[in-house]
Amino acid sequence: MNAPGSGAPPPGVLRLGVLQFHVRRLDGVAGFAAALDTHLREAAAAAVSLAVLPEYAVLASASARLAPAGDTGDGAASVAAELAMVLAHSAALLAVMRAAAMTHRLWLLPGTLPMAVAGGVRNRAPLIAPDGRIGFQDKRVMTRFEAESWRIDPGGNPAVFETDWGRIGIAICYDLEFPALVRAQVQAGAWLILAPTCTDTLAGFNRVRLAARARALENQCYVAIAPTVGTAPWSASLDRNRGYAAVFGPVDRGFPEDGVLARGVLDAGGWVCADLDPARLAAVREDGAVRNHRDWPPAPP
């Protein structure tokens, strides 16, 4: 656990926890529920108020019942079967996520959950309040794997969500690499962007990491990434996972000179936590060395 200190943060300050989810074989919905409970107990013990898990973490719950021990799981049929298994149990998995948020009395972004929507499939990120209310952000831009192998449909426009600390946005992995999507959320009042991710190479992770730092710099906001890590030869979908969790902020007065507020160890499991104060952003946007947030030029004709 990488934590900012002991005790609860001051009023108005959010203690954010982003999980480096070390992929392991989970036995269906019950196995995912047990793993989620363990992780959230750790987060609650560190006074985390908003916990974020990675994109596609739920897929670890599918492979145990589909692939026997020793199966490399690298066939296209196995990829399709894993997705089908999660889709068949999406309602039960969402119920588990909601119950966990309510039990541990925290805000929860439990990664993403593929769901059947409007005759197709979308990659959805639920944001769950401690009282069980749920909002969804769909992934807007599909990677080649999602579009060509899984045929997941693009979601709608970026949204913002009202929380106890103000408005926040969610940019799922690849979406973070498109400045206009995050800019729309910031213009709608988001001061924090949560980015659940799943990348199988260091190149893929670095694209997301660099995009997160750029979005934090150009919008003078906070951006947090939560990745899957580790190897899973028994899974066709989560076979390789690289990265580390991190929280980034503006590169300006009152913040670290590289904008890195917290980061984990590459490819290791565990929580990375940071205390985030919206007032610090308001101050730097008003009186920073630069005013990136307000100085965006209009689009060329």
Side-chain angles (χ1 to χ4, degrees):
M1 172 73 71
N2 176 321
S6 60
V13 174
L14 164 64
R15 180 158 297 167
L16 175 69
V18 283
L19 182 64
Q20 299 184 184
F21 182 86
H22 199 281
V23 176
R24 62 187 186 278
R25 208 164 186 164
L26 304 176
D27 188 8
V29 175
F32 180 78
L36 182 60
D37 181 71
T38 297
H39 288 307
L40 294 188
R41 286 183 186 277
E42 296 171 350
V48 166
S49 295
L50 171 55
V52 183
L53 273 67
E55 180 184 34
Y56 293 132
V58 294
L59 283 165
S61 69
S63 300
R65 296 190 177 188
L66 291 169
D71 184 359
T72 59
D74 57 359
S78 294
V79 169
E82 287 178 357
L83 178 61
M85 174 72 75
V86 170
L87 289 171
H89 294 89
S90 61
L93 287 163
L94 184 61
V96 161
M97 295 167 176
R98 181 174 182 268
M102 296 174 70
T103 295
H104 295 283
R105 299 180 182 178
L106 45 66
W107 287 80
L108 175 63
L109 197 174
T112 65
L113 178 61
M115 299 181 72
V117 179
V121 177
R122 294 188 185 176
N123 184 18
R124 314 197 87 178
L127 181 63
I128 308 171
D131 63 6
R133 289 174 292 129
I134 304 177
F136 293 98
Q137 175 65 63
D138 292 346
K139 192 170 186 177
R140 182 68 181 85
V141 186
M142 298 300 105
T143 63
R144 291 191 63 188
F145 175 80
E146 289 169 314
E148 297 170 13
S149 296
W150 275 348
R151 303 192 182 280
I152 294 182
D153 300 316
N157 292 327
V160 293
F161 301 86
E162 299 286 352
T163 72
D164 296 342
W165 307 273
R167 292 181 177 179
I168 66 173
I170 300 169
I172 302 170
C173 201
Y174 193 36
D175 283 354
L176 201 58
E177 298 180 32
F178 299 92
L181 298 181
V182 172
R183 183 63 178 172
Q185 293 172 315
V186 172
Q187 289 182 314
W191 64 279
L192 166 64
I193 305 297
L194 305 176
T197 74
C198 180
T199 50
D200 62 353
T201 65
L202 279 179
F205 166 68
N206 280 319
R207 284 196 298 270
V208 172
R209 177 183 65 87
L210 294 171
R213 297 183 73 171
R215 302 297 83 82
L217 180 154
E218 68 199 15
N219 292 292
Q220 291 179 307
C221 68
Y222 297 113
V223 180
I225 56 176
T228 49
V229 298
T231 59
W234 38 265
S235 172
S237 308
L238 297 176
D239 50 351
R240 293 178 301 275
N241 304 270
R242 306 299 308 273
Y244 57 76
V247 183
F248 306 108
V251 185
D252 210 324
R253 295 170 182 164
F255 291 87
E257 293 188 345
D258 60 0
V260 180
L261 301 176
R263 59 154 290 180
V265 177
L266 181 65
D267 296 340
W271 288 98
V272 173
C273 302
D275 286 350
L276 306 182
D277 186 353
R280 291 180 66 192
L281 290 183
V284 79
R285 287 174 174 180
E286 179 62 31
D287 194 32
V290 291
R291 288 174 169 163
N292 301 86
H293 174 257
R294 70 170 63 176
D295 285 345
W296 275 56

